[in-house]
Amino acid sequence: MLELENVSFTYDNGAGVGTRALEGVSFSVEPGEFIGLIGHTGSGKSTLLQLLIGLLKPTEGRILFEGEDIGQKGYDLKKLRSRVGMVFQYPEHQLFEETVFKDVCYGPQNIGLSQKECELRAYEALRSVGLPDECFYVSPFELSGGQKRRVAIAGILAMKPDILVLDEPTAGLDPAGKNEILDLTDELKRDRNISIILVSHCMEDVAEYADRILVMDHGRLKYDESPVVVFSHVEELEKMGLSAPAVTYIMRKLKDRGVDVRNNIITIPEAGAEIMAAFKRRHP
Amino acid sequence: MKGVVLGQYYPGDSLIHSLDPRVKIVSTFVFIISLFVVDNVPGYAVTALFLVSAVALSKVPVARLIKGLSGILVLMVFTAVFNLFLTPGEVVFSFYSLQITREGIIVTVKMLVRLVFLIMGSSLMTYTTTPSALADALESLMKPLKVVKVPVHEISMMISIALRFIPILAEEADIIIKAQKARCADFDTGSVIKRAKAMIPVLVPLFVSAFRRANDLAVAMEARCYRGGDNRTRMRPLTYCARDYRAYAVDAALLLGCILTRVIL
């Protein structure tokens, strides 16, 4: 659905010598996929996200959405941005309207939908992020941090995107708020077949939810594999300033101590089952 | 919003850059006063000599200084037109009811030279001094006003904080603009009114964020027991050294020279 072909990007600092932020990145996003995007700070993730919705133009290479080059002249970027929903870091900082409901209507209004359709979509979006009805007509500034963030995400969902990109959506939230957001993304993927691209610094989250993981390092795409394969490269990941989920380290240590377990385990439920199995083998 | 330049500081390590900021402020003032003291060719030559040597010492590209003049181009044109046509005297050129006089030409040339020198002189100061150094210097120079209960330290602190926050808010504005663009906002098409209205979704979050940051900063300053004014020491106190005194001597010589050209010639 969304394809990147050999995309490179250089920040122009006016003096002729720019900063190379991306180097020959290629991958594609298929409908209903949950993709995790990881990389240390400054690895080019933010640049990549901005390229996806045409906020930046690739210096080399092209980006295709449904087969059309989004960089070509006259391409309708508004339409692209309504289909590829982008939730930036701390999205609650973009709220501005008098009421939550009006704020969520902003995106649909910008695409030029009728007032009725906008309201319908806003209502639906606010329900899907699980915001209680009594919050719909209060000022967004009166809500709690987690609620504000859900309103901001609803603002993007109201445009009914086919791909939802979230840049560290759980940063600064408490564990409950964090789980709510992650479960919401998983639900959107399952129920509506929306593709999700989740940028996160939390390896456990990515391991649990993603079908596929992209690893960025110094502007290059290092891995584009399933979570199990990516997290088997523990040493390489550590060199890039990343890591594997904590549970993977535990399983590796157990294996080193001679316990008969697999060492390619990346989630806690999996680890629990594997340890139980090993225990039963030992004590039949 | 990228590339918002403030104080247009041009980094360098020239003699002018390394002068005490107080010296630079005083010198700029002396230079401006001299410009209004002089009234004849030798006088202007003296001020020109001062400006040219200061620019040469600062190593700031002349092209940059000239570019800074573009901001007052309109003012220059107005000054020129008014002085040219409205100064009474010996007519050298007439065009319907408009007359250009000999005196008018002289006044115009003088005004233009003054304006250009004035802007170049003061922008040389901002090119060679960081905004924070300027704020520090202002505080130090305004100290005598404390006697008449002017909150000098507070004013200077506000200026420094304001200057420090401009790049932060510019970056924040950039982020908010991108976030609203991701919500299909359109800032580039439509009438002026439509475009102005389109900025509301940027301005409201920007204000909210400015207040949030101000609040955070206030708390952080309190937490570190900040209390302004008396008995506060600095990490890098402003101290004069030999070259600063020499610069003051040059200032004095400039002013004296200008007064002499006025009195003697």
Side-chain angles (χ1 to χ4, degrees):
Chain A
M1 190 157 48
L2 185 67
E3 279 168 80
L4 278 80
E5 289 179 354
N6 218 5
V7 171
S8 298
F9 185 81
T10 307
Y11 279 104
D12 185 11
N13 54 9
V17 277
T19 328
R20 197 77 161 161
L22 283 184
E23 184 76 61
V25 173
S26 305
F27 67 89
S28 66
V29 183
E30 300 307 326
E33 258 191 314
F34 198 126
I35 299 178
L37 176 59
I38 58 176
H40 59 91
T41 317
S43 60
K45 285 175 299 173
S46 302
T47 310
L48 182 61
L49 298 189
Q50 293 182 36
L51 284 161
L52 291 183
I53 59 166
L55 288 172
L56 298 174
K57 298 248 178 296
T59 321
E60 285 147 46
R62 19 177 234 161
I63 301 173
L64 305 172
F65 182 65
E66 295 183 329
E68 276 189 83
D69 185 352
I70 69 164
Q72 67 183 306
K73 252 197 171 158
Y75 187 85
D76 188 356
L77 282 173
K78 257 192 187 183
K79 193 156 176 218
L80 171 78
R81 288 168 190 166
S82 72
R83 308 263 324 263
V84 183
M86 177 74 61
V87 179
F88 282 109
Q89 258 174 54
Y90 299 102
E92 60 272 23
H93 291 178
Q94 77 199 21
L95 302 175
F96 69 97
E97 272 288 9
E98 293 155 53
T99 67
V100 166
F101 193 76
K102 272 193 187 171
D103 203 282
V104 178
C105 285
Y106 179 67
Q109 275 163 355
N110 284 335
I111 332 173
L113 298 171
S114 70
Q115 187 60 27
K116 204 177 157 195
E117 176 72 13
C118 290
E119 286 176 9
L120 211 66
R121 284 182 172 207
Y123 186 77
E124 209 181 310
L126 280 168
R127 289 302 291 272
S128 72
V129 297
L131 200 77
D133 288 18
E134 64 265 24
C135 295
F136 283 19
Y137 298 100
V138 301
S139 161
F141 299 106
E142 284 170 31
L143 301 178
S144 73
Q147 284 174 325
K148 276 190 207 167
R149 190 159 301 178
R150 279 188 276 157
V151 170
I153 294 176
I156 302 293
L157 286 178
M159 296 189 291
K160 296 207 169 160
D162 301 303
I163 301 178
L164 184 64
V165 189
L166 301 117
D167 190 359
E168 286 184 59
T170 58
L173 293 185
D174 56 18
K178 197 176 139 173
N179 283 338
E180 275 170 15
I181 301 278
L182 289 173
D183 290 341
L184 169 69
T185 55
D186 200 41
E187 224 173 85
L188 290 169
K189 180 210 151 183
R190 266 187 291 110
D191 300 350
R192 300 203 207 161
N193 205 33
I194 297 181
S195 316
I196 307 280
I197 301 178
L198 175 73
V199 178
S200 181
H201 282 304
C202 178
M203 302 302 142
E204 281 76 13
D205 294 346
V206 183
E208 189 177 341
Y209 291 96
D211 306 320
R212 211 172 112 205
I213 294 182
L214 306 178
V215 184
M216 296 289 300
D217 183 43
H218 290 108
R220 288 171 192 275
L221 185 59
K222 276 282 148 92
Y223 298 113
D224 177 0
E225 307 273 4
S226 71
V228 174
V229 178
V230 166
F231 289 127
S232 67
H233 302 285
V234 179
E235 288 76 23
E236 288 88 341
L237 287 175
E238 281 175 355
K239 260 182 223 151
M240 296 175 204
L242 301 168
S243 67
V247 68
T248 308
Y249 290 98
I250 295 177
M251 298 309 275
R252 288 190 153 214
K253 283 231 162 96
L254 284 175
K255 177 111 183 159
D256 288 347
R257 296 254 184 120
V259 182
D260 180 24
V261 288
R262 287 182 289 133
N263 62 2
N264 61 352
I265 279 165
I266 56 173
T267 65
I268 292 172
E270 243 188 311
E274 185 71 12
I275 291 171
M276 278 309 288
F279 185 78
K280 278 188 184 142
R281 278 198 293 277
R282 234 184 231 194
H283 307 279
Chain B
M1 287 308 262
K2 279 254 164 75
V4 177
V5 203
L6 202 101
Q8 46 188 230
Y9 181 63
Y10 181 84
D13 54 358
S14 71
L15 174 66
I16 305 282
H17 281 85
S18 58
L19 281 177
D20 188 289
R22 286 170 295 182
V23 176
K24 284 186 265 190
I25 292 181
V26 171
S27 305
T28 309
F29 265 102
V30 169
F31 178 66
I32 292 171
I33 294 167
S34 316
L35 277 179
F36 287 91
V37 168
V38 296
D39 200 28
N40 50 20
V41 177
Y44 281 108
V46 172
T47 53
L49 180 71
F50 179 83
L51 183 63
V52 168
S53 25
V55 171
L57 283 173
S58 74
K59 294 186 185 129
V60 173
V62 181
R64 253 184 194 244
L65 279 171
I66 290 172
K67 221 170 137 194
L69 289 175
S70 61
I72 57 148
L73 199 64
V74 178
L75 181 70
M76 278 162 66
V77 170
F78 266 94
T79 316
V81 168
F82 276 94
N83 280 309
L84 260 186
F85 294 109
L86 299 176
T87 314
E90 180 193 327
V91 177
V92 287
F93 182 79
S94 69
F95 179 75
Y96 294 105
S97 60
L98 296 171
Q99 292 177 330
I100 296 178
T101 62
R102 214 175 74 86
E103 284 80 0
I105 296 174
I106 293 170
V107 171
T108 306
V109 171
K110 277 183 184 169
M111 283 311 285
L112 284 184
V113 169
R114 273 182 186 159
L115 261 178
V116 169
F117 277 19
L118 192 148
I119 297 298
M120 283 179 122
S122 43
S123 49
L124 185 67
M125 174 180 77
T126 54
Y127 275 130
T128 56
T129 322
T130 58
S132 58
L134 277 181
D136 286 351
L138 271 181
E139 177 178 359
S140 169
L141 287 171
M142 291 195 304
K143 244 178 211 157
L145 291 177
K146 265 191 185 161
V147 181
V148 286
K149 301 254 185 258
V150 174
V152 173
H153 173 78
E154 283 72 13
I155 292 174
S156 147
M157 191 55 153
M158 283 193 279
I159 297 174
S160 325
I161 291 176
L163 289 171
R164 178 66 193 83
F165 265 67
I166 285 171
I168 294 178
L169 289 179
E171 197 180 313
E172 188 110 353
D174 189 52
I175 292 171
I176 296 170
I177 286 174
K178 280 180 173 160
Q180 303 299 26
K181 274 189 176 169
R183 297 168 82 187
C184 298
D186 189 350
F187 301 116
D188 309 317
T189 58
S191 64
V192 179
I193 297 170
K194 204 181 147 208
R195 276 194 228 185
K197 268 193 177 163
M199 289 312 283
I200 294 173
V202 176
L203 293 177
V204 173
L206 196 59
F207 267 106
V208 172
S209 134
F211 280 110
R212 189 180 53 237
R213 284 180 188 279
N215 201 23
D216 289 352
L217 181 68
V219 171
M221 285 167 82
E222 293 257 298
R224 292 201 248 166
C225 304
Y226 171 81
R227 46 175 208 89
D230 299 334
N231 303 327
R232 229 183 134 69
T233 54
R234 300 181 161 279
M235 190 164 147
R236 286 192 210 89
L238 294 172
T239 44
Y240 287 123
C241 55
R243 60 170 172 261
D244 298 314
Y245 293 116
R246 283 201 286 273
Y248 276 137
V250 173
D251 290 346
L254 169 72
L255 199 56
L256 197 67
C258 290
I259 293 170
L260 284 179
T261 59
R262 185 76 185 256
V263 177
I264 297 172
L265 300 168

